[in-house]
Amino acid sequence: RKEVEQDPGPFNVPEGATVAFNCTYSNSASQSFFWYRQDCRKEPKLLMSVYSSGNEDGRFTAQLNRASQYISLLIRDSKLSDSATYLCVVNGGSGGYNKLIFGAGTRLAVHP
Amino acid sequence: GAGVSQSPSNKVTEKGKDVELRCDPISGHTALYWYRQSLGQGLEFLIYFQGNSAPDKSGLPSDRFSAERTGGSVSTLTIQRTQQEDSAVYLCASSLAGTGAYNEQFFGPGTRLTVL
């Protein structure tokens, strides 16, 4: 079983749609969680961190369920520019440092 | 300000040759990480540096892979006797500190390695 699992997609949605991505992780000791965005042939960039209480940044909302080891990302009012691969990321480091474990990513394509 | 830089951006080599990949982290970042991303795959952790020391080398796939960091800044990843399965994009990231649960890692543009 992979440490971080995501639905690979692709998700093809029209502009303005709401889309949700899910992710599960296997290490119950993981302490921090993130969503990164990766555009085609580019490096990953941090989209948002995911906190236990859930957090929102504009059109993006992230949720964490530690009991179920489940993370979600909701994108409202999708824009063409949201088209990218969304990477679910878990901090798998022990000994107090950051070792990011990446899911394989979920592709999103937003069309006019 | 300048981000993480990597060189070369592309490297094509023949099977069996050695290659060196370079990473220049963001100035002042003490933590440096190497990852690789194979076609259609997620990023795979290779090694972590805190300053010049590497507390975690657990992701290096074989003893053909080695990395060093000097002066707490530039890092080189060396792959000896390259194999075709080494073909991937090698990404470097740095963060202000290695500890702290939510320290953001900033990624460089990567080196695309192709082994013929």
Side-chain angles (χ1 to χ4, degrees):
Chain A
R1 182 187 171 190
K2 293 181 182 176
E3 289 192 65
V4 180
E5 300 217 45
Q6 296 182 247
D7 182 340
F11 285 62
N12 294 300
V13 303
E15 276 186 287
T18 295
V19 61
F21 304 140
N22 303 317
C23 164
T24 57
Y25 61 95
S26 61
N27 185 356
S28 59
S30 298
Q31 293 297 310
S32 50
F33 311 88
F34 311 87
W35 284 99
Y36 274 70
R37 169 189 169 133
Q38 187 172 27
D39 291 287
C40 189
R41 299 177 78 88
K42 297 285 191 180
E43 71 273 21
K45 292 185 179 177
L46 179 67
L47 177 66
M48 58 196 302
S49 302
V50 186
Y51 303 114
S52 295
S53 54
N55 48 298
E56 187 174 309
D57 183 1
R59 297 181 295 108
F60 300 84
T61 300
Q63 296 282 346
L64 168 65
N65 184 324
R66 284 187 186 271
S68 302
Q69 295 177 206
Y70 169 96
I71 307 161
S72 66
L73 176 68
L74 184 77
I75 305 176
R76 290 181 300 278
D77 189 23
S78 300
K79 311 291 185 191
L80 295 176
S81 57
D82 293 334
S83 298
T85 296
Y86 290 83
L87 306 172
C88 178
V89 185
V90 172
N91 183 359
S94 59
Y97 67 86
N98 299 303
K99 172 181 172 179
L100 299 185
I101 309 297
F102 285 77
T106 300
R107 279 203 299 129
L108 172 65
V110 182
H111 58 80
Chain B
V4 178
S5 61
Q6 292 186 245
S7 61
S9 54
N10 279 285
K11 176 72 178 178
V12 180
T13 190
E14 292 179 349
K15 178 181 171 180
K17 297 284 177 95
D18 297 352
V19 295
E20 266 192 12
L21 312 180
R22 176 188 167 108
C23 172
D24 241 300
I26 293 172
S27 177
H29 281 194
T30 63
L32 186 147
Y33 311 80
W34 283 97
Y35 298 85
R36 75 174 176 182
Q37 187 170 30
S38 303
L39 190 63
Q41 303 295 315
L43 277 76
E44 173 191 10
F45 169 85
L46 298 179
I47 188 169
Y48 154 68
F49 285 93
Q50 181 60 47
N52 291 339
S53 64
D56 190 344
K57 305 178 184 180
S58 64
L60 295 177
S62 76
D63 58 10
R64 296 186 295 104
F65 287 71
S66 62
E68 64 175 16
R69 188 181 185 196
T70 54
S73 182
V74 172
S75 175
T76 54
L77 176 70
T78 302
I79 309 173
Q80 295 179 307
R81 306 181 301 283
T82 51
Q83 303 293 313
Q84 288 182 331
E85 61 263 28
D86 299 336
S87 296
V89 177
Y90 289 81
L91 290 152
C92 175
S94 70
S95 64
L96 197 55
T99 56
Y102 284 97
N103 262 308
E104 181 176 354
Q105 293 188 19
F106 295 84
F107 283 81
T111 293
R112 185 173 298 275
L113 175 66
T114 304
V115 182
L116 301 176

